[in-house]
Amino acid sequence: MKKHYSHFTICRLPALFFCMMAIIAWPIQSRSQEKPSLFVVADFMKVQPDNHTGYLEVEQEIWKPLHEERIRQGIIVGWYLYAVEFSGAQDAYNYVVITLYDDATKLEKPWNADLVEKVHKATRLDEIMKKTRLSREHAKSELFYNVVTVPAKPLENPAPYLQVSYMKVEAGMQSEYEQLESGIWLPIHNEAIKTGQTKGWSLWSALFPRGADRPYQYITLNAFSEYSYVFEYDFSIPFKNIHPEKNFAEIQEKTQKTRRVAQTELWDLIDYAIK
């Protein structure tokens, strides 16, 4: 089994990793940015067509109580389970587990040794791990930090649908891209929330894994309360209210020069636990 930060590995991360984090973790793209205070570990899961029920039982009956205890102990602030819509047999994953941290140091020790015994007294850890392994394949883990968000606490009141866009940013354009998202598009998303068209929006920067071959450096999460809003939402309407002096087409073109949307997915919220 791969070693990663998710709830499937109960271990202490190497000290060297956090020495590296202290040097390079933030802000990679924008040196003027303050230290990030929110981190997301995303675990991408592949579940076979005949095993969806079994996988959800493992997540909700075994792991969710453990995450709730982690929240009570102050280790994490949120856990979310999503199904990826329109995924097929050839796709690498069809579920995503999100774990939200409010302090990078908590990534060093994401589990306490007594958690399993405290929550599942009659079940051994090796039995839990075996059942987990049989329920799904773990495709990958990624670590992101929050660049900007509205409302101030992302996923505090999780909406039933997330539109997730993976952004490939041109070399040397990270700072300009972040400024466009923060200065131009963030107020638009805020206006959309006020009108009830969306429930939240946030921009996250990839921290690990990293490298020149990464297919994307950022993700945006756009939260919707109604399924139809995903398809009906028109950014040009709040744009006119927030930036009446600017040209929508010109801003779109300027944004597209800094990045391209590598892929967009629609996630359905299955379950969650929050602080």
Side-chain angles (χ1 to χ4, degrees):
M1 181 180 298
K2 291 182 179 179
K3 181 182 287 188
H4 52 88
Y5 306 132
S6 73
H7 52 263
F8 305 106
T9 303
I10 302 177
C11 64
R12 184 181 182 85
L13 296 176
L16 176 59
F17 174 81
F18 283 90
C19 291
M20 291 171 60
M21 283 192 68
I23 298 171
I24 63 176
W26 44 68
I28 293 170
Q29 281 79 16
S30 176
R31 296 296 172 183
S32 62
Q33 185 183 7
E34 295 180 356
K35 281 186 178 182
S37 59
L38 289 172
F39 297 82
V40 151
V41 175
D43 288 290
F44 297 79
M45 310 297 181
K46 178 67 174 182
V47 178
Q48 296 305 315
D50 61 349
N51 203 31
H52 291 282
T53 300
Y55 170 66
L56 293 179
E57 286 178 355
V58 167
E59 286 285 10
Q60 295 176 295
E61 296 178 12
I62 296 177
W63 289 104
K64 182 179 179 180
L66 289 167
H67 295 306
E68 290 173 330
E69 180 59 28
R70 294 171 79 196
I71 291 170
R72 282 190 287 270
Q73 294 187 16
I75 301 171
I76 63 174
V77 294
W79 168 85
Y80 312 83
L81 172 62
Y82 291 94
V84 182
E85 280 209 16
F86 309 111
S87 56
Q90 302 305 313
D91 292 312
Y93 55 87
N94 47 13
Y95 288 88
V96 183
V97 177
I98 296 291
T99 310
L100 185 62
Y101 293 81
D102 62 359
D103 190 332
T105 61
K106 294 176 182 178
L107 288 159
E108 184 178 6
K109 190 181 179 183
W111 292 89
N112 286 332
D114 64 341
L115 271 172
V116 172
E117 184 178 352
K118 185 174 184 178
V119 176
H120 298 299
K121 295 181 174 62
T123 307
R124 299 199 317 269
L125 176 60
D126 60 341
E127 294 173 349
I128 291 175
M129 300 306 289
K130 181 179 179 180
K131 192 169 184 179
T132 300
R133 285 194 295 269
L134 292 173
S135 72
R136 91 297 181 255
E137 298 173 20
H138 180 261
K140 62 177 180 177
S141 288
E142 295 191 333
L143 175 62
F144 298 87
Y145 68 82
N146 183 248
V147 179
V148 65
T149 185
V150 58
K153 295 182 179 180
L155 304 176
E156 185 177 27
N157 296 299
Y161 306 102
L162 271 185
Q163 180 178 286
V164 183
S165 295
Y166 299 80
M167 304 297 186
K168 177 67 174 179
V169 177
E170 300 299 328
M173 301 291 285
Q174 292 93 337
S175 180
E176 184 175 350
Y177 169 66
E178 287 189 13
Q179 289 172 9
L180 279 167
E181 291 283 24
S182 301
I184 300 295
W185 295 106
L186 178 65
I188 295 170
H189 291 294
N190 192 45
E191 179 72 7
I193 292 170
K194 291 178 181 178
T195 60
Q197 293 174 293
T198 65
K199 297 289 288 184
W201 175 87
S202 54
L203 172 67
W204 301 81
S205 178
L207 188 53
F208 289 105
R210 58 192 298 170
D213 294 332
R214 269 198 66 91
Y216 52 89
Q217 294 82 24
Y218 294 86
I219 59 170
T220 60
L221 306 181
N222 210 0
F224 293 89
S225 60
E226 299 289 340
Y227 194 83
S228 61
Y229 290 171
V230 178
F231 306 97
E232 297 172 357
Y233 183 59
D234 184 355
F235 279 108
S236 66
I237 296 173
F239 184 93
K240 293 176 183 177
N241 296 332
I242 299 300
H243 304 296
E245 78 289 356
K246 297 183 185 298
N247 182 283
F248 182 67
E250 289 178 358
I251 294 297
Q252 275 192 315
E253 182 179 358
K254 187 175 182 180
T255 303
Q256 290 167 1
K257 286 181 179 179
T258 66
R259 59 93 179 116
R260 63 179 177 85
V261 182
Q263 183 170 318
T264 296
E265 296 173 344
L266 182 60
W267 297 358
D268 295 349
L269 181 66
I270 303 299
D271 206 348
Y272 68 95
I274 57 176
K275 186 175 180 179

